[in-house]
Amino acid sequence: MNTRYKITRLDQEGNPLLSLEECQRFFAGEPDFVYHDSFGASQDGVHMKIKGHFFMWQVENAQIPFRFFDGEIYVAISHPAIMDKTIDIARRLEAVYVEG
């Protein structure tokens, strides 16, 4: 089972501070990320499409979605390499990563 983490930077009242524009600028400078306005998945003949802001990390033959939502970035951790990338992104955005 995957554990979900979020990358967040909070103000003194605990409100998320990351903006979509800041994230778009950040990920635009990352050669292994591509922005998509939706994410699709298929299983057992059923296809699901979720609209939103997704920064897709291309690593080997897999695409890992980092989703921006309400001032935070969410990612499911299924492999140590994804955790390492999450920690790096949080550090570079001067944010923290927390389970949730």
Side-chain angles (χ1 to χ4, degrees), residues 7 22 40-41 72-73 83 98:
I7 298 170
E22 176 185 12
E72 298 174 309
I73 302 168
M83 189 70 205
V98 295

Side-chain angles (χ1 to χ4, degrees), residues 34-79:
V34 176
Y35 174 80
H36 291 281
D37 63 2
S38 65
F39 176 72
S42 297
Q43 185 174 359
D44 299 327
V46 176
H47 185 72
M48 176 180 66
K49 186 173 184 179
I50 302 168
K51 292 193 179 280
H53 303 285
F54 295 90
F55 301 97
M56 302 299 292
W57 181 37
Q58 181 68 42
V59 57
E60 297 179 9
N61 293 329
Q63 287 195 347
I64 310 300
F66 284 73
R67 183 182 188 194
F68 177 84
F69 183 76
D70 282 346
E72 298 174 309
I73 302 168
Y74 293 86
V75 61
I77 306 293
S78 60
H79 188 278

Side-chain angles (χ1 to χ4, degrees), residues 6-45:
K6 63 182 175 180
I7 298 170
T8 188
R9 185 184 327 125
L10 304 175
D11 64 16
Q12 291 183 354
E13 289 80 38
N15 300 311
L17 291 175
L18 292 175
S19 70
L20 176 59
E21 294 77 18
E22 176 185 12
C23 292
Q24 287 175 321
R25 283 190 306 273
F26 175 83
F27 286 107
E30 298 297 304
D32 48 354
F33 278 88
V34 176
Y35 174 80
H36 291 281
D37 63 2
S38 65
F39 176 72
S42 297
Q43 185 174 359
D44 299 327

